[in-house]
Amino acid sequence: MLSYDEAIARILSQISPSTPISLPILESLGLILAENIHTHSPLPPFDNSAMDGYAVVGADVASASMGEPVALTLLGTIAAGGDIAVRVTPGYAAPIMTGAPMPPGADTVVPVEDTKRMGDGVWVLEAATPGQFVRKAGEDAPAGTLVVENGSAVRPAEVGMFAAAGRQSVLAHRRPRVGVISTGDELAEPGADLGPAQIYNSNSYAIAAQVMEAGGDVAVRVHARDTLEDLRAAFDACVDCDVILTTGGVSVGEFDFVKAVIEERGSVDFWRVAIRPGKPFVFGQCGGALLFGLPGNPVSAMVTFELFVRPALRRLLGAANPMRPMETALLTEEVSHDPGRRDFQRAVVTEGAAGLRVRPTGRQGSGMLRSMVLANALMIVPEDVPSLAAGEPISVIRLSS
């Protein structure tokens, strides 16, 4: 049986980023950029006003005050996006809007609130520092600046920068197409009337949501009954997927057929990992797709997704480091452990002046989905540790990083 470290290393060694595709910039949100983005012109492209106010010669108003206001004669207004039809000389001021280009001769903007309009003139009531409230051409980025690097995660700020640089589209690694197969005669769709031995199919929805959170595209979501024929049909529906995920049917029960179908259509790389929860876990290939067989218990399915599938999807998306960061926190209570397998317990991490603190969510049964709802982290109890006392350090993986 593989250790967790051996298992994740074997998975990631077989995965390369997907081929980059050209996408409209809004569609690149959440993906990984596959090219460098440079500015073709300065940002901003011209000197402009950072305030609604008056464009002036700074020396005129350097000593203005309420007691000794400076009177200036008004010129034509300069609107954002408009032409510059005036030149400012000493003794004059041009009303200017935020974002409008600075007129020739002016080097300073006086905010409206520091002035009083008087007919065809304006009184400046506060001293101004020469150059104030002027955004200089190129102060954000000169022409030719590398503003977003290849390999960057595309957030709203990056999308905005693409637009500011004049880009309509960018190269990014495409979203993996993922098929989610839930198995089991006991499963019913939410909203259906439950039979006497049925439960609602939470796995299908939880795992699909994890795929979406990780950046994948849920191309197929199907339920298979506990027969070889139904399971084969479910795999047929996923023929165009890059990744196939199954939940349930990977243990050694009489109706656990997932491993058999994988071996029919592909290969099993490994089966079972020395972790808790989630020991019955399958990784292999099915046609051209990566195959992950997750356990059927809801917590085991979600934890093994987090530990193995999410890093795989992030690697396909082009992430240089597909793993969530690991941190150290101090336990606020004793944690017991049955040695032999690495234990990923659901936990709550809090931050304070003294650093990170962590506690388990409570009972850790693999069928207790509420333990995932309560958790914001997994805390990692090493294989050979029988217990950890309150105050001891422990490694944690935050689930929202």
Side-chain angles (χ1 to χ4, degrees):
M1 188 161 48
L2 294 179
S3 70
Y4 169 71
D5 296 327
E6 292 169 331
I8 190 60
R10 277 172 67 164
I11 291 169
L12 294 179
S13 70
Q14 299 181 42
I15 301 175
S16 299
S18 63
T19 302
I21 57 174
S22 180
L23 291 168
I25 57 176
L26 273 178
E27 293 181 22
S28 71
L29 182 65
L31 299 180
I32 305 295
L33 189 66
E35 63 171 319
N36 288 324
I37 304 297
H38 294 82
T39 56
H40 294 292
S41 58
L43 296 180
F46 48 81
D47 292 359
N48 68 90
S49 176
M51 301 282 285
D52 290 342
Y54 297 90
V56 301
V57 176
D60 279 349
V61 296
S63 60
S65 67
M66 290 288 290
E68 296 186 18
V70 172
L72 300 174
T73 302
L74 288 178
L75 300 168
T77 298
I78 306 168
D83 294 331
I84 306 174
V86 300
R87 180 180 186 87
V88 177
T89 55
Y92 288 85
I96 192 167
M97 304 298 108
T98 302
M102 291 292 292
D107 61 3
T108 301
V109 173
V110 177
V112 170
E113 53 268 32
D114 292 343
T115 66
K116 183 176 181 180
R117 192 78 171 253
M118 301 293 290
D120 61 354
V122 63
W123 285 0
V124 178
L125 309 175
E126 295 285 343
T129 302
Q132 75 174 18
F133 300 120
V134 176
R135 296 186 288 221
K136 303 296 289 183
E139 71 175 17
D140 189 8
T145 300
L146 174 61
V147 286
V148 188
E149 292 189 42
N150 185 355
S152 297
V154 180
R155 305 166 301 171
E158 281 73 21
V159 173
M161 183 56 77
F162 300 155
R167 297 292 297 268
Q168 292 181 303
S169 61
V170 294
L171 286 177
H173 296 281
R174 68 174 179 85
R175 297 185 189 278
R177 288 173 51 83
V178 182
V180 178
I181 302 172
S182 55
T183 70
D185 290 345
E186 76 280 12
L187 301 180
E189 277 296 295
D193 292 331
L194 290 177
Q198 287 191 304
I199 59 172
Y200 289 123
N201 186 0
S202 63
N203 279 347
S204 180
Y205 291 89
I207 299 303
Q210 286 183 296
V211 170
M212 295 165 65
E213 185 275 336
D217 172 25
V218 181
V220 177
R221 189 174 60 83
V222 63
H223 172 233
R225 296 181 64 82
D226 286 326
T227 67
L228 276 170
E229 293 73 24
D230 224 32
L231 194 54
R232 287 166 178 153
F235 272 79
D236 288 341
C238 299
V239 67
D240 293 325
C241 292
D242 304 298
V243 178
I244 300 173
L245 307 179
T246 66
T247 62
V250 294
S251 192
V252 291
E254 184 177 350
F255 300 105
D256 291 337
F257 297 124
V258 169
K259 187 165 172 279
V261 174
I262 299 169
E263 290 172 336
E264 283 180 2
R265 300 176 176 224
S267 61
V268 172
D269 188 299
F270 62 83
W271 174 49
R272 299 198 302 174
V273 184
I275 61 173
R276 182 185 293 109
K279 181 175 73 170
F281 171 84
V282 175
F283 172 67
Q285 307 279 336
C286 186
L290 297 168
L291 189 287
F292 297 87
L294 312 182
N297 281 316
V299 171
S300 299
M302 292 192 72
V303 169
T304 51
F305 181 99
E306 179 66 35
L307 297 178
F308 300 112
V309 184
R310 189 181 192 279
L313 294 178
R314 298 303 298 169
R315 174 61 59 83
L316 285 168
L317 279 163
N321 183 2
M323 309 295 290
R324 292 197 198 266
M326 195 173 294
E327 301 173 273
T328 299
L330 297 182
L331 284 163
T332 62
E333 59 186 75
E334 182 181 2
V335 171
S336 60
H337 175 235
D338 183 12
R341 287 187 278 165
R342 190 174 304 182
D343 199 353
F344 293 86
Q345 296 194 14
R346 279 71 67 207
V348 177
V349 169
T350 55
E351 296 187 50
L356 299 183
R357 296 290 186 269
V358 64
R359 61 172 176 82
T361 58
R363 296 174 64 189
Q364 296 287 307
S366 60
M368 295 178 173
L369 185 56
R370 189 162 179 265
S371 70
M372 291 297 295
V373 174
L374 296 173
N376 64 5
L378 298 175
M379 62 182 190
I380 306 169
V381 184
E383 292 90 331
D384 56 352
V385 173
S387 65
L388 290 168
E392 288 196 69
I394 189 170
S395 295
V396 297
I397 301 170
R398 288 204 253 189
L399 298 177
S400 58
S401 58

